[in-house]
Amino acid sequence: FSQQVDVAMTSNCSFNETDHLMQTLELLIYVPVFFFGLVLNAAALLVFCVFLRKWTESTIYMTSLALMDLLLLFPLPFKMHAAQHRWPAGLQPLCSVLESLYFVGIYGSIYTITCIAVDRWVAICHPFKAKQLRSPRAALAACAAVWLLVVAAIAPTMYRFRDGGHADFHCFHGFSPKGWRPAVIACVQVFGFLLPAAAVVCCSAQTIWTLQRSGQRSAQSRACVKIIYSSLSAFLLPFTPSHIAIFLQFLVRLIEDCGHQARISLFIQLALCLSNVTCCLDALCYYFIAHEVRSTKHLRASVMGLRRATSSTSEL
């Protein structure tokens, strides 16, 4: 989430202290996030593309997610520079490209994680249909659709939401008023977060319920449930505060009290900054998801056996 915070919310309020504090916090957060995120995601791609000989649904989704995270990490050095320095007006096209890449990485990650949750739900909750619905080709088509959808939705809009001019500017800051129209914010909130979050939460909850209902109390079942909880936390913790912050930024433009504006501005910028930790959280989830893949085959067989027994009993 780019820090598109309109620092000068009103002409009578000053946010110099907030901006100075955030410049320090950004460096403390972005530097380790960039380093660890780059190393972990590059290592994940190396494992998926070189060492693993067989492409499965999970490895395809995780490869796409790693690419999305690397796309998100690429603009971070430019964000750190833009927070400290103003850019000449001639660099506005470059800024729009970097902002587009940043948002594509964020929302591409959100939808890829949604695909992983749905794929897990199909494998565990609908084991009979999984053979027809799940395949490496279907996973590859889903990832390609996510890339095309996110690029088509974000890339054209970034150029329209930044006002051209001849003055120096801060990249990743200061969308034009067109970027804060109610229709735009509603689309970002609903299609960018609420619908994917609802799908992830519902699929995760039903998967956990199915595992517990199956009567499996093995270490594999317990580990799978823990992995689902971890994946759900890794999705909600970075993205929920940042989208709340976007909504608050939309509302704060109507607030006239400078004290409230300063506090909300600090929360907005800090929440958007911390959302970049998702690159590291996703990389840590790769190991757990890979472990889950090995357990899912046995769990799906157990669920299928339970449902066959239930079906036979109901026919008596």
Side-chain angles (χ1 to χ4, degrees):
F1 293 77
S2 178
Q3 291 181 347
Q4 303 290 357
V5 179
D6 188 0
V7 178
M9 296 179 189
T10 67
S11 59
N12 298 323
C13 296
S14 175
F15 301 94
N16 292 331
E17 294 183 2
T18 299
D19 295 338
H20 181 72
L21 176 61
M22 282 306 306
Q23 288 176 358
T24 303
L25 291 177
E26 283 179 358
L27 292 177
L28 293 176
I29 296 172
Y30 283 158
V31 171
V33 165
F34 180 78
F35 175 77
F36 288 108
L38 184 63
V39 171
L40 292 173
N41 284 281
L45 282 180
L46 183 65
V47 171
F48 297 149
C49 300
V50 177
F51 295 104
L52 292 182
R53 298 181 180 180
K54 184 179 180 180
W55 283 89
T56 64
E57 297 86 354
S58 296
T59 55
I60 291 173
Y61 286 126
M62 289 187 290
T63 299
S64 180
L65 184 58
L67 290 173
M68 289 291 187
D69 286 336
L70 288 175
L71 193 65
L72 171 62
L73 289 168
F74 174 75
L76 283 188
F78 298 95
K79 282 172 61 63
M80 288 186 282
H81 182 274
Q84 307 286 335
H85 305 87
R86 297 181 68 87
W87 288 14
L91 293 181
Q92 289 200 21
L94 173 62
C95 177
S96 295
V97 171
L98 293 172
E99 290 171 343
S100 298
L101 293 177
Y102 191 74
F103 278 104
V104 168
I106 283 291
Y107 289 102
S109 297
I110 288 177
Y111 273 91
T112 303
I113 295 172
T114 304
C115 290
I116 293 174
V118 173
D119 180 74
R120 180 194 295 121
W121 170 71
V122 172
I124 298 297
C125 299
H126 301 280
F128 296 109
K129 296 181 180 179
K131 294 181 178 180
Q132 289 77 33
L133 297 177
R134 299 179 73 244
S135 68
R137 180 176 296 181
L140 186 61
C143 291
V146 168
W147 279 88
L148 291 175
L149 174 65
V150 176
V151 171
I154 291 176
T157 61
M158 298 303 297
Y159 291 95
R160 294 200 296 265
F161 292 159
R162 177 167 290 283
D163 291 330
H166 301 287
D168 295 348
F169 68 103
H170 279 294
C171 189
F172 293 98
H173 291 260
F175 265 171
S176 69
K178 292 184 293 185
W180 294 102
R181 290 180 300 180
V184 174
I185 300 302
C187 288
V188 170
Q189 296 292 325
V190 174
F191 298 104
F193 178 68
L194 292 179
L195 290 180
V200 171
V201 170
C202 290
C203 289
S204 299
Q206 291 187 27
T207 303
I208 293 172
W209 180 77
T210 299
L211 291 174
Q212 294 176 341
R213 181 173 174 268
S214 66
Q216 298 295 320
R217 293 295 183 266
S218 64
Q220 290 178 337
S221 178
R222 291 193 297 270
C224 191
V225 171
K226 292 179 181 179
I227 291 167
I228 296 173
Y229 277 124
S230 300
S231 301
L232 185 61
S233 299
F235 177 84
L236 294 177
L237 290 179
F239 297 134
T240 302
S242 54
H243 280 85
I244 292 175
I246 292 175
F247 183 68
L248 287 177
Q249 169 63 18
F250 171 71
L251 295 180
V252 80
R253 300 165 71 88
L254 306 177
I255 299 176
E256 298 181 357
D257 182 82
C258 291
H260 291 314
Q261 287 190 13
R263 287 188 291 271
I264 294 176
S265 176
L266 178 61
F267 168 72
I268 291 169
Q269 297 189 57
L270 186 59
L272 295 177
C273 187
L274 289 174
S275 67
N276 295 277
V277 178
T278 184
C279 298
C280 299
L281 296 178
D282 289 342
L284 293 176
C285 286
Y286 297 147
Y287 168 78
F288 297 113
I289 295 175
H291 176 74
E292 179 190 13
V293 171
R294 295 192 294 268
S295 302
T296 297
K297 295 180 180 179
H298 303 287
L299 292 170
R300 186 165 64 237
S302 300
V303 173
M304 290 176 67
L306 176 67
R307 294 192 174 183
R308 286 194 184 100
T310 303
S311 176
S312 299
T313 303
S314 64
E315 292 175 358
L316 294 178

